[in-house]
Amino acid sequence: MYSIQQEELFSFDELMKMSAESKYSVVLEHAPLGRILHAVSKSSHLGRPESLNTRAMIYSLLIGKMEHIRFTKDLVSRLRSSSEFRRWCRFTDSDRVPSEAAYSRLVTKLDQCGVLRDVQDIVVDQAIAEGFLSGEVLAVDSSHIEAFDRNPKLDKSKTKPGAASPTEEESALLSETSCQPPEVAKPTKPKRAKRGRVPKAEAAAWREQVDAYEASLNLFEREVADMLPESYEALIADMPQFPSTGAKGDPRGTHRVKFWYGYKVNLLVDTASQYIVTGVTCSAHVSDQRPAIVLLKRLKARFPRLRVKHILADKGYDGEPVYKQIRAAGAFGLIPLVHRYKVPEGVDEHFRPLCRQGHPYRYDSYDAKRGTLKWTRPKECATCPLQNHGCQKVHKTKVADDARKYTAPGRGSAKFAELFKQRTAIERVFAYLKLYFEMGSSRKRKKRALVDLDLSCLTYNLCKLGLDRLNKYRRKTVQAA
């Protein structure tokens, strides 16, 4: 297993190959379920007493993720047919096996109280306190998730004439689980009949129309820069979290576009330990930069003691608002540039200063006190006849002048390239989530799909924490022997 922090006695793959009983004991032994039980339990002692083992039901949901059980009916069937599986899930002989409706009510409660996000933070706090998560270098990325809901925008003309559409056939069964949000009339953007400057006589009326249109937009329909002064709570309240159609280009450069109907999971991962620090799920049509702003605000608000130095991302996050939010979190953004305009004279494609012969200066160091990058003469200038005729020995640039162009370590340097290689850690985390924890596609509809995705991330972090504790214990045992 790829690990930068330390050599491991047991890898993540070896943990998943262990015997079921020992694996579940490692994962569930230290799971903080008290918070979940307090959130989903009855608030009053009046009424009908609870006859189900809620703790065991939560254990079964986590174990179901590790056992690749996608549907609730398969989980219930496994509990009824296997006494060994019931024992693994901590059900006693006197406990009644929950029905599908009982699990549905439990998932609904988990969605309404939002406790899984708090439990995820508790697990991350435990990893930080025990020294497993340093948080110096983080990576942010997103991955597509197929929805279990039917896409309402499918071409209806392909159906045979006279045949009932699938939506009509299933309307009686799926009326309560409809995934599409209620249709809301979108405000129309004001348009002028003529081009050019607005006349002074019409300027006031035109400005009033534009202001009314912009005021009707939510935070995720405005510019990305408008999200920076808003709080995390305001952003998460306006974030679209219904299934929609998303598009993604092929990273291999084949000019092919992949479309899917569902969601987009956005994660912030520690590259050294591969823990999921925080995450959020949004609709598939939302651009990558917008949930990145939400994740960075969550990082700053929830983990202020985490000393983050660098945040890595791909070209999809190359936007000035993302760099500003990264700098507000006290870190530097290491993101490849997308050249939307012609490179100005005097610098190369990495915005490194050039000498008179056209050779780029070399990155030397970063002065944290003054916030400046130091660039020294290139190697070719050692034998250049112009080194004493107007060619500077040292160039200094301020990061505050343009956080997108200037970052530490400097763009184009070997240190920048070496640090950026660690971004593959988040790709590995997504691979683990889809291979071992059924995150490739959700099998629940509407808001319950978000609970299903949160359970996958929580189970992964619990497995990672249990594995690190097991390795720590084994290492101490080996040293003592």
Side-chain angles (χ1 to χ4, degrees):
M1 175 183 172
Y2 175 84
S3 179
I4 302 174
Q5 184 181 19
Q6 58 191 3
E7 183 180 358
E8 294 182 345
L9 299 177
F10 296 97
S11 67
F12 195 87
D13 297 310
E14 290 171 342
L15 172 68
M16 303 308 294
K17 294 178 182 178
M18 288 182 181
S19 63
E21 186 172 4
S22 60
K23 176 173 62 177
Y24 300 149
S25 299
V26 170
V27 175
L28 302 179
E29 182 181 1
H30 305 287
L33 294 186
R35 190 71 172 267
I36 302 179
L37 292 174
H38 178 72
V40 300
S41 60
K42 292 178 58 178
S43 59
S44 174
H45 65 280
L46 302 177
R48 183 180 178 181
E50 295 183 355
S51 59
L52 297 176
N53 190 341
T54 308
R55 178 184 292 270
M57 291 177 65
I58 298 172
Y59 279 139
S60 63
L61 289 176
L62 298 176
I63 293 176
K65 287 294 182 181
M66 292 184 280
E67 284 292 318
H68 305 280
I69 301 177
R70 294 187 174 184
F71 295 93
T72 305
K73 65 176 182 179
D74 296 334
L75 178 61
V76 174
S77 176
R78 182 80 177 274
L79 288 171
R80 289 175 178 173
S81 61
S82 174
S83 59
E84 187 180 19
F85 187 73
R86 289 198 300 271
R87 179 171 55 84
W88 291 341
C89 296
R90 309 300 194 266
F91 281 100
T92 62
D93 295 336
S94 61
D95 290 332
R96 180 166 59 90
V97 176
S99 63
E100 294 183 48
Y103 275 106
S104 178
R105 290 191 294 269
L106 176 60
V107 173
T108 302
K109 289 181 180 179
L110 292 175
D111 169 54
Q112 293 174 352
C113 63
V115 70
L116 292 181
R117 189 182 307 163
D118 298 332
V119 175
Q120 181 88 333
D121 293 341
I122 293 174
V123 176
V124 174
D125 286 333
Q126 292 176 357
I128 295 174
E130 298 182 28
F132 299 137
L133 197 159
S134 61
E136 291 186 359
V137 182
L138 303 180
V140 60
D141 203 356
S142 63
S143 182
H144 69 281
I145 301 296
E146 298 282 349
F148 196 52
D149 307 77
R150 183 181 298 278
N151 189 348
K153 296 183 180 179
L154 293 175
D155 189 8
K156 297 182 180 180
S157 62
K158 294 182 181 180
T159 59
K160 296 181 180 180
S165 63
T167 307
E168 295 175 357
E169 293 176 356
E170 300 180 359
S171 59
L173 299 176
L174 305 182
S175 58
E176 296 182 359
T177 57
S178 178
C179 63
Q180 193 68 13
E183 293 291 338
V184 179
K186 294 184 178 180
T188 57
K189 188 175 182 179
K191 297 181 180 179
R192 295 186 67 251
K194 298 181 180 180
R195 294 184 178 181
R197 186 180 299 176
V198 181
K200 292 184 178 180
E202 304 175 5
W206 173 254
R207 187 70 258 174
E208 184 178 352
Q209 294 179 13
V210 173
D211 292 342
Y213 169 75
E214 293 180 351
S216 64
L217 301 178
N218 60 28
L219 294 176
F220 278 79
E221 293 175 341
R222 303 176 188 174
E223 298 292 334
V224 182
D226 296 336
M227 301 172 61
L228 295 181
E230 302 294 335
S231 63
Y232 168 78
E233 289 74 16
L235 292 175
I236 203 68
D238 276 356
M239 174 177 286
Q241 292 183 321
F242 55 86
S244 63
T245 303
K248 185 177 182 180
D250 192 347
R252 294 172 293 185
T254 57
H255 300 288
R256 296 179 180 177
V257 180
K258 178 180 180 179
F259 295 92
W260 79 94
Y261 181 76
Y263 307 93
K264 184 182 290 185
V265 175
N266 308 268
L267 299 180
L268 197 63
V269 174
D270 179 56
T271 59
S273 59
Q274 298 180 12
Y275 277 94
I276 300 175
V277 179
T278 184
V280 69
T281 305
C282 63
S283 301
H285 70 276
V286 180
S287 63
D288 290 343
Q289 296 185 19
R290 298 179 184 275
I293 299 294
V294 179
L295 291 177
L296 293 171
K297 285 184 176 292
R298 173 70 173 172
L299 173 68
K300 184 179 179 181
R302 181 58 182 80
F303 306 101
R305 295 184 298 174
L306 208 60
R307 302 304 178 189
V308 185
K309 294 182 179 179
H310 302 95
I311 295 180
L312 317 179
D314 57 20
K315 288 184 177 181
Y317 297 87
D318 181 32
E320 188 175 355
V322 178
Y323 288 98
K324 289 183 178 180
Q325 188 59 46
I326 292 176
R327 290 299 298 141
F332 291 98
L334 273 64
I335 307 172
L337 287 172
V338 177
H339 292 283
R340 304 177 181 88
Y341 306 100
K342 186 177 180 181
V343 179
E345 296 182 0
V347 296
D348 65 349
E349 67 274 9
H350 301 294
F351 290 94
R352 295 178 296 183
L354 299 176
C355 69
R356 297 184 65 180
Q357 292 290 338
H359 302 296
Y361 276 65
R362 296 178 298 170
Y363 171 75
D364 182 83
S365 60
Y366 170 71
D367 188 354
K369 184 177 180 180
R370 296 176 176 82
T372 57
L373 302 174
K374 182 180 179 181
W375 307 86
T376 57
R377 278 179 176 176
K379 295 180 180 180
E380 294 81 0
C381 291
T383 58
C384 180
L386 300 176
Q387 60 178 331
N388 296 326
H389 301 280
C391 193
Q392 292 182 227
K393 293 182 178 180
V394 175
H395 268 281
K396 291 187 178 182
T397 54
K398 286 189 176 182
V399 177
D401 292 343
D402 196 328
R404 177 174 175 265
K405 297 178 181 178
Y406 309 118
T407 183
R411 296 185 179 277
S413 62
K415 293 182 180 179
F416 185 99
E418 192 66 24
L419 268 175
F420 192 74
K421 289 180 181 179
Q422 300 182 25
R423 200 196 69 86
T424 57
I426 194 170
E427 304 289 351
R428 193 167 295 103
V429 171
F430 276 122
Y432 283 143
L433 288 171
K434 294 185 177 182
L435 179 64
Y436 293 122
F437 303 105
E438 296 297 329
M439 201 180 185
S441 58
S442 175
R443 289 300 183 268
K444 290 182 174 59
R445 294 184 175 91
K446 209 174 178 181
K447 286 283 189 177
R448 298 177 182 179
L450 305 182
V451 177
D452 191 48
L453 300 176
D454 289 341
L455 280 173
S456 298
C457 295
L458 176 60
T459 308
Y460 168 81
N461 264 6
L462 287 174
C463 290
K464 196 73 183 67
L465 182 61
L467 178 63
D468 286 342
R469 285 174 173 172
L470 178 62
N471 285 327
K472 184 178 180 180
Y473 172 76
R474 296 283 186 175
R475 194 172 291 106
K476 287 183 179 180
T477 305
V478 171
Q479 291 176 357

